[in-house]
Amino acid sequence: MDKPTPTGPACAAPMPGIAVTLAPGLRRILAPNPSAMTLHGTNTYLIGTRALAVVDPGPDDSDHLSAIMSATGPDQRITHILVTHAHLDHSPLARPLSDLTGAPVLAYGDANVGRSAIMQDLAASATQDIGGGEGVDTEFIPDICLSDGALVDGDDWTIEALWTPGHFGNHMCFAWRDTILTGDLIMGWATSLVSPPDGDMSDYMASCRRLAARRSRILYPGHGEPVTEPAVRIDAIMAHRTSRETAILATLERGPADAATLAAELYQEIPVALLPAAKRSVLAHLIDLTKQKQISPCGALHSASVFQRQNSQPDNF
């Protein structure tokens, strides 16, 4: 994750617990969990006018649960609970909300599904500690697993589920009308953390390209304000990631280095508290560049591996 860029409407902190209408049939309730990684908190979305879909119920917080239930009018009921991914700021409230309403929880799968083969191997290795696992809701299990492209229907809405791994293996975006609820894949105020083995940089870039190709009118992220120029924002994020990759390669031209050393050099502009997250993003780039055979680790691949430039080298994992 890179330095937040709080400009425009993202500067004004909305009030948590209040249902705000963003468009006909779409409301947002902010969860009370502000932090350096969540900005003002998690955005919980309500779709529909009678039978409601709740997208990303948020953290396990009784006040937020009450706020969601209070936003349900006397002629409304919650019929579906959709979760973008199994992080603690997005998914834990799904089960209490389901118990209260009887609505099923829908997602791509549990916290371990959706990883690429390489990330599965790294996660399973007992000898190659790759680290990661920040903020994972390890207990998350949906009632219904959604396949990529699955359609979820309500009485006056249809949502298309899009599997978009990268930030997290089980990450999904949800397309509704000409908009997309993007979870943590695309945000307007900062880039997403990509931390192996849950995060995968090559998957992340592929998911960004997929969303760009849909040419949606507006994006509603898991944190921060709506992204009103999706093409511009996605292009900027991808250009930023590409520039980081170029900078990593240029630095490695001067000699081998590990993720911590590279992060300290390349992320000098961010607060010290965010350097651990920066290190994880650098590691994700290093693994991706290793897959591309542009670099290789000096020995087995792990979180503290030293990497070197290499024109063509067999995989070391």
Side-chain angles (χ1 to χ4, degrees), residues 13 223 241:
H223 309 280
R241 292 296 189 186

Side-chain angles (χ1 to χ4, degrees), residues 51 102 203 289:
D203 283 353
L289 289 167

Side-chain angles (χ1 to χ4, degrees), residues 183-226:
D184 281 359
L185 183 71
I186 302 293
M187 299 181 288
W189 66 284
T191 55
S192 299
L193 173 65
V194 179
S195 177
D198 302 304
D200 185 307
M201 191 61 70
S202 56
D203 283 353
Y204 181 84
M205 294 294 279
S207 292
C208 286
R209 288 191 291 271
R210 182 181 188 187
L211 255 60
R214 291 185 68 98
R215 301 184 181 277
S216 299
R217 180 179 60 84
I218 193 168
L219 307 178
Y220 294 104
H223 309 280
E225 294 300 307

Side-chain angles (χ1 to χ4, degrees), residues 14-316:
M15 288 291 293
I18 305 298
V20 177
T21 299
L22 302 177
L26 178 66
R27 291 177 288 165
R28 178 189 66 193
I29 305 174
L30 179 69
N33 61 328
S35 74
M37 302 299 288
T38 62
L39 191 60
H40 306 309
T42 301
N43 293 328
T44 295
Y45 294 99
L46 279 65
I47 294 177
T49 57
R50 296 183 299 277
L52 305 178
V54 174
V55 178
D56 279 351
D60 190 2
D61 182 282
S62 58
D63 289 340
H64 192 52
L65 179 61
S66 296
I68 295 172
M69 295 306 300
S70 295
T72 306
D75 58 344
Q76 297 176 328
R77 61 190 181 95
I78 295 171
T79 59
H80 299 75
I81 301 168
L82 284 72
V83 174
T84 60
H85 64 293
H87 267 154
L88 289 170
D89 54 330
H90 289 261
S91 58
L93 201 61
R95 187 53 56 197
L97 183 61
S98 176
D99 291 343
L100 197 59
T101 63
V105 179
L106 296 80
Y108 186 73
D110 65 28
N112 295 315
V113 304
R115 291 171 174 161
S116 64
I118 290 172
M119 294 303 173
Q120 290 181 44
D121 290 343
L122 290 174
S125 174
T127 60
Q128 302 175 20
D129 179 19
I130 203 63
E134 303 89 351
V136 175
D137 182 4
T138 57
E139 298 182 0
F140 177 72
I141 300 176
D143 298 310
I144 298 172
C145 292
L146 296 171
S147 60
D148 183 30
L151 298 180
V152 182
D153 292 317
D155 59 354
D156 60 352
W157 51 263
T158 296
I159 293 171
E160 181 184 3
L162 308 172
W163 180 45
T164 49
H167 170 69
F168 202 88
N170 76 346
H171 194 286
M172 298 198 98
C173 293
F174 297 111
W176 171 72
R177 296 179 180 171
D178 58 352
T179 71
I180 300 179
L181 283 66
T182 57
D184 281 359
L185 183 71
I186 302 293
M187 299 181 288
W189 66 284
T191 55
S192 299
L193 173 65
V194 179
S195 177
D198 302 304
D200 185 307
M201 191 61 70
S202 56
D203 283 353
Y204 181 84
M205 294 294 279
S207 292
C208 286
R209 288 191 291 271
R210 182 181 188 187
L211 255 60
R214 291 185 68 98
R215 301 184 181 277
S216 299
R217 180 179 60 84
I218 193 168
L219 307 178
Y220 294 104
H223 309 280
E225 294 300 307
V227 177
T228 56
E229 296 184 272
V232 173
R233 180 57 184 159
I234 296 173
D235 284 349
I237 288 174
M238 295 183 67
H240 171 78
R241 292 296 189 186
T242 301
S243 71
R244 288 294 187 198
E245 179 182 284
T246 300
I248 288 170
L249 290 172
T251 303
L252 291 179
E253 286 284 4
R254 302 197 296 269
D258 61 11
T261 301
L262 290 163
E265 179 169 343
L266 300 176
Y267 286 80
Q268 296 181 25
E269 78 281 6
I270 70 171
V272 174
L274 292 179
L275 268 178
K279 175 186 171 183
R280 301 303 301 177
S281 283
V282 169
L283 181 61
H285 276 294
L286 291 168
I287 294 173
D288 186 33
L289 289 167
T290 300
K291 289 162 60 178
Q292 298 176 36
K293 302 187 185 303
Q294 297 197 55
I295 65 173
S296 62
C298 302
L301 178 59
H302 53 80
S303 61
S305 291
V306 173
F307 291 81
Q308 62 186 356
R309 284 301 308 266
Q310 197 75 20
N311 291 329
S312 179
Q313 187 78 4
D315 292 340
N316 288 319

